[in-house]
């Protein structure tokens, strides 16, 4: 295929939208990405937010128009070769349900709204991939349109990450409307930024770094202006920025003819970006900052290489959470194997993404036991939706939370309407619930013991009668599960006379042992 070795990353920032197309080259066990095409358009999306965080129709239309153009460029790319990520404005907009479908339709690909910590991780990855190797710690600061990311890490591994709700577009709107600059506005903007930075100042200074890099548009603009105007000999310095600040206040905007190297599309938002950068230098005690290339879009491209190999960052995160929450890995593996067995029964054409989601939910379904056995599934769901999970988008985490919240208990008491979610998610819930139910006794048996079929709203579970008679607790739990699905409009049937089941493998030598760790109340909760 023509685009077989190409990847495309779409970065939907609060100020600009960017599309990067890269060619992947594998050599000597190392993967490198070579840029072959870039598109960038200034959208000023964050400027369209009102005081109630509602995005205006005008701003939505600007976004849709740009995404239609991006979509034309990558319309023949396979879905697995494109990843679109959206940042702060998509995170905070109250009418995201109106914005996101229109944006996805215009682009022609799904859009992931990523949390701040994930944005920070991808920014660090993008910058460090474009730098020479170093054993020293590096600080990366990325001032975007609606948020600013601060990351300290070594090699490709971030150690401290924070995303703060301040950006050049939102600060322009609040302190420098239309790009107009006054001394009073600058003082207020700096003070607001320093208040945001207070929370990270001490731990960041304590960990320390040897080199600091600024990524994205604000840092690039500051480096160009400071060096071309003669305010700094190399990169960004506090002294150089104070000279620039004086010039902006004196002229009343960034349109001074004495400023060199500044592009027209950066003039309006430069004062706000400068105020945030000055605050960062003062709070973090930064001496000099160099320009970092790559940023978010490059991090996305390298992350996609991992997702297409055995180094998916999300798999690493699941392993870390397994250790952190002391999950019983043998039990998780049993539940995962059976859940995927059921999924293969009812939907053998399920997408790889869907299979991974179900597998991760099974891997992590007992996180809540480290908090409390009582209602542990609710604790699990809360952690998975709200924790920092590198590699996972907000939608990924909500999906894991949804699946694990439904792993046991009343189906009509879920925190969401089961009828309103997709058929795939209902299938995953069914598979996970049955897998958890069958492995309540926490010991293995052959998956040839059971088979599942689903057509429309008719669920048929085939179980060998002799085996089921030998496991009365499972039989009782299945009868309650049957009631749960029947209560919400399904027709759930348990069939004990299926000759296709492997009866020999199914029969165990000993009766079911007593339960050591109960994971499901056999009585429906109120």
């Amino acid at each position: 295929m023509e685009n077989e070795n190409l990847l495309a990353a779409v970065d939907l920032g609060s100020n600009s939208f960017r599309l990067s197309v890269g060619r992947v080259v594998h050599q000597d066990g190392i993967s490198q990405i070579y840029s072959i095409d870039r598109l960038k358009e200034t959208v000023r999306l964050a400027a369209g937010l009102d005081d109630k965080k509602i995005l205006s129709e005008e701003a939505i239309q600007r976004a849709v128009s740009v995404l239609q153009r991006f979509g034309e460029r990558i319309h023949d790319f396979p879905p697995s070769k494109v990843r679109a990520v959206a940042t702060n404005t998509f995170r905070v907009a109250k009418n995201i349900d109106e914005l996101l479908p229109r944006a996805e339709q215009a682009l022609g690909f799904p859009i992931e709204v990523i949390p701040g910590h994930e944005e920070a991780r991808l920014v660090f990855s993008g910058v460090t991939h474009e730098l020479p190797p170093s054993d020293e710690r590096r600080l990366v600061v990325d001032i975007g349109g609606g948020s600013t990311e601060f990351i300290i890490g070594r090699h490709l591994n971030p150690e401290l990450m924070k995303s703060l709700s301040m950006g050049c577009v939102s600060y322009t709107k609040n302190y420098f409307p239309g790009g107009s600059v006054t001394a009073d506005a600058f003082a207020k903007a700096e003070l607001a930024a320093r208040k945001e930075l207070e929370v990270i100042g001490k731990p960041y200074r304590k960990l320390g770094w040897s080199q600091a890099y600024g990524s994205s548009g604000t840092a690039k603009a500051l480096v160009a202006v400071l060096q071309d105007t003669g305010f700094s000999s190399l990169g960004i310095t506090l002294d150089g920025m104070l000279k620039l600040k004086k010039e902006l206040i004196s002229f009343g905007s960034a349109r001074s003819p004495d400023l060199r190297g500044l592009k027209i599309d950066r003039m309006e938002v430069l004062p706000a970006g400068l105020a945030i950068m000055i605050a960062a230098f003062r709070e973090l005690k930064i001496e000099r900052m160099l320009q970092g290339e790559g940023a978010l879009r490059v991090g996305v491209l390298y992350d996609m290489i991992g997702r297409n190999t055995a180094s998916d960052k999300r798999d690493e995160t699941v392993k870390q959470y397994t250790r952190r929450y002391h999950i019983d890995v043998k039990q998780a593996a049993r539940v995962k194997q059976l859940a995927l067995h059921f999924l293969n029964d009812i939907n053998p054409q399920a997408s790889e993404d869907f299979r991974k989601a179900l597998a991760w939910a099974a891997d992590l379904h007992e996180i809540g036991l480290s908090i409390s056995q009582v209602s542990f599934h609710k604790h699990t769901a809360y952690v998975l939706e709200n924790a920092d999970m590198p590699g996972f988008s907000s939608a990924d985490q909500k999906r894991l939370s949804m699946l694990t919240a439904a792993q046991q208990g009343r189906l009509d008491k879920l925190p969401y309407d089961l009828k309103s979610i997709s058929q795939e998610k209902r299938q995953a819930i069914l598979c996970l619930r049955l897998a958890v139910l069958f492995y309540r006794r926490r010991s293995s048996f052959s998956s040839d013991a059971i088979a599942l079929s689903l057509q429309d709203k008719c669920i048929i579970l085939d179980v060998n009668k002799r085996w089921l008679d030998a496991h009365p607790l499972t039989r009782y739990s299945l009868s309650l599960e049957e009631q749960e699905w029947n209560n919400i409009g399904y027709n759930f049937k348990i069939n004990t006379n299926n000759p296709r089941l492997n009866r020999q493998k199914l029969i165990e030598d000993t009766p079911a042992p007593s339960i050591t760790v109960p994971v499901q109340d056999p009585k429906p909760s109120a």
Side-chain angles (χ1 to χ4, degrees), residues 167 219 335 355 424 506 512:
V335 170
R355 292 178 184 277
E424 281 191 333
L506 187 60

Side-chain angles (χ1 to χ4, degrees), residues 245-309:
K245 170 184 171 181
K246 184 178 180 180
E247 177 66 25
L248 295 181
I249 293 174
S250 175
F251 193 78
S253 75
R255 301 183 183 277
S256 169
D258 294 330
L259 298 181
R260 302 182 183 277
L262 182 60
K263 295 181 179 180
I264 294 177
D265 66 347
R266 273 282 153 189
M267 288 181 175
E268 182 177 344
V269 296
L270 182 72
L274 176 62
I276 294 171
M277 190 66 86
I278 289 175
F281 265 63
R282 285 177 163 157
E283 284 296 317
L284 301 182
K285 310 300 181 186
I286 303 171
E287 295 180 2
R288 185 183 301 274
M289 179 179 290
L290 303 178
Q291 182 180 329
E293 302 293 342
L296 178 61
R297 59 193 179 277
V298 174
V300 170
L301 289 173
Y302 276 99
D303 219 49
M304 289 173 69
I305 292 179
R307 290 189 174 192
N308 291 327
T309 64

Side-chain angles (χ1 to χ4, degrees), residues 51 187 204 343 358 475 509:
D51 294 339
Y204 274 63
L343 178 61
L358 178 57
R475 176 186 282 277
D509 294 332

Side-chain angles (χ1 to χ4, degrees), residues 408-420:
Q408 67 171 41
R410 294 272 296 272
L411 289 172
D412 59 356
K413 295 293 184 180
L414 293 173
Y416 53 86
D417 183 1
L418 197 63
K419 297 177 182 178
S420 67

Side-chain angles (χ1 to χ4, degrees), residues 29-273:
I30 299 175
S31 299
Q32 292 289 334
I33 296 176
Y34 296 88
S35 177
I36 65 169
D37 199 6
R38 292 181 181 177
L39 293 174
K40 175 197 169 186
E41 296 204 33
T42 301
V43 181
R44 300 276 199 272
L45 195 64
L49 288 171
D50 65 17
D51 294 339
K52 296 181 180 180
K53 302 298 182 183
I54 301 296
L55 197 61
S56 69
E57 176 59 31
E58 182 183 358
I60 293 175
Q61 190 54 51
R62 288 200 304 269
V64 167
S65 296
V66 171
L67 291 175
Q68 285 173 337
R69 293 191 284 274
F70 284 8
E72 179 184 347
R73 173 62 182 84
I74 56 176
H75 78 279
D76 57 345
F77 276 55
S80 62
K81 302 294 185 179
V82 177
R83 187 181 180 196
V85 297
T87 58
N88 186 261
T89 299
F90 279 77
R91 290 196 290 264
V92 303
K94 298 296 186 183
N95 55 337
I96 184 65
D97 291 340
E98 177 185 353
L99 165 63
L100 196 57
R102 292 172 64 181
E104 290 181 329
Q105 182 179 13
L107 182 63
F109 295 91
I111 295 172
E112 299 178 45
V113 181
I114 56 175
H117 64 85
E118 177 66 0
E119 182 179 356
R121 182 186 72 84
L122 291 171
V123 164
F124 188 77
S125 172
V127 171
T128 50
H129 266 107
E130 300 292 296
L131 292 173
S134 172
D135 292 329
E136 302 293 332
R137 284 194 178 95
R138 288 160 163 163
L139 167 68
V140 173
V141 177
D142 185 286
I143 299 176
S147 66
T148 300
E149 283 65 51
F150 298 85
I151 315 99
I152 297 178
R154 198 197 305 266
H155 303 298
L156 297 175
N157 303 312
E159 299 176 35
L160 277 181
M161 297 186 295
K162 191 66 176 179
S163 179
L164 300 179
S165 297
M166 55 184 187
C168 61
V169 176
S170 57
Y171 267 46
T172 296
K173 182 178 179 180
N174 292 336
Y175 303 104
F176 307 102
S180 176
V181 180
T182 66
D184 181 61
F186 226 107
K188 290 179 179 178
E190 277 188 58
L191 180 61
R194 293 192 71 168
K195 285 183 177 180
E196 290 282 343
L197 282 155
E198 282 178 348
V199 69
I200 71 170
K202 186 174 181 179
Y204 274 63
R205 293 192 301 268
K206 182 178 180 180
L207 184 60
W209 60 87
S210 62
Q211 301 151 330
Y213 294 91
S215 61
S216 295
T218 291
K220 184 177 181 180
L222 287 175
V223 169
V225 172
L226 294 178
Q227 292 184 172
D228 291 1
T229 308
F231 291 160
S232 172
S233 60
L234 178 64
I236 303 171
T237 62
L238 181 58
D239 181 64
M241 288 192 293
L242 293 179
K243 292 177 181 177
L244 177 57
K245 170 184 171 181
K246 184 178 180 180
E247 177 66 25
L248 295 181
I249 293 174
S250 175
F251 193 78
S253 75
R255 301 183 183 277
S256 169
D258 294 330
L259 298 181
R260 302 182 183 277
L262 182 60
K263 295 181 179 180
I264 294 177
D265 66 347
R266 273 282 153 189
M267 288 181 175
E268 182 177 344
V269 296
L270 182 72

